[in-house]
Structures are given as structure tokens and as C-alpha cells.
Amino acid sequence: MQTIWLGGAEWVAVLRIGIGLWWLESWRHKDKKTWFGGGGIGWAAGIAEKHRWSAVREGFNVVVKPRPRVMAYVVAYAELALGLGLIVGFLTPIALVCGFVLNLVYLVLMIHDWAEQGQNLMMALASSVAFFAMSWQTWSLDDALGMFA
């Protein structure tokens, strides 16, 4: 493979770090007071309530709606953990799979919102490329620690 400036492994590491920065921005831009006060989960509940797929409505009502405060913390701190983990390359394959799943959950919930679909599709695609290209092999704690070799 020929590339400009960096080698293929380094470019895939740049992609991994970029995905991490994207997750970190998802966490950073949240109004934490509103989010942890129920605003984020309340917003999602309104979307789930009108969802065209009954499985999404029922799943949200069973898993998320009974525990809005806990789920607000789970979502926010999952985004933070994914961001930090991908930036430094720690437990990278696990973070990439978890991020991919979280993007799919967001995508399914926001099936009517094209802007959200685009962001989540691109993040899921980038995560897939970073996973299958084994982006933890370069510029990562995983590589430094000899993990996932």
C-alpha cells in the first residue's frame, strides 16, 4: 500500500483517534446539568414514544424509561470512556465494538432524523474500518502493553 506522509497503519491510527475525538465531543457538548436532570432521556423518550417500530418503543419503555437517571449517566460516561479509550488506544477492539453498537442504537432510535442518521452511519463505518484494520497496532497503549497482538 502506498500512502502520502504516513504509512497505512498510522493512517488507521489517525482514524481511530479521530473517532475517539468525535466521541469525546459528544460527551463535551452535552449540557450536563440538563442531561443528568432528565433532559436527555426525556428527549429520547419523546422520540421513542412516536417510533414506527413497536420493538423500539417497548425496548425503550422496558430498559431506559424506568431508570432515566442511571441511563443518562450510562450514556454520557460511555461516550467519555469510548472517546478516551480510542484516543489513547486502550482496550481498542472492545471500544470500537461498543461504539459501533451504541451508534446502531442511536441510529435505530433516530430513524426519522437524517442528520443523526448520517453522523451515526459515518461513525459506525469508521469504527468498522478501524476494527478490521486493527487500528490498535500503532500509537496505542494496547500495542505498548502487548495486548491484542
Side-chain angles (χ1 to χ4, degrees), residues 28-136:
R28 187 205 62 80
H29 86 271
K30 282 181 174 40
D31 174 354
K32 307 301 186 293
K33 184 176 180 183
T34 301
W35 183 263
F36 294 130
I41 300 301
W43 167 78
I47 292 167
E49 174 180 292
K50 299 176 211 152
H51 206 281
R52 68 175 86 163
W53 299 339
S54 62
V56 172
R57 287 191 306 273
E58 292 166 17
F60 190 92
N61 289 337
V62 169
V63 176
V64 180
K65 199 171 184 179
R67 353 178 145 66
R69 186 169 171 82
V70 169
M71 293 309 293
Y73 279 92
V74 167
V75 168
Y77 286 103
E79 291 176 349
L80 176 62
L82 287 168
L84 295 174
L86 291 172
I87 290 167
V88 300
F90 184 64
L91 301 176
T92 308
I94 296 165
L96 288 166
V97 169
C98 290
F100 180 85
V101 169
L102 194 55
N103 281 126
L104 287 183
V105 168
Y106 291 168
L107 179 67
V108 169
L109 180 62
M110 299 302 297
I111 201 80
H112 305 299
D113 187 333
W114 287 102
E116 288 291 327
Q117 284 183 341
Q119 173 180 323
N120 288 298
L121 279 173
M122 287 302 102
M123 288 181 79
L125 174 62
S127 294
S128 298
V129 170
F131 179 82
F132 288 109
M134 298 170 52
S135 64
W136 52 89

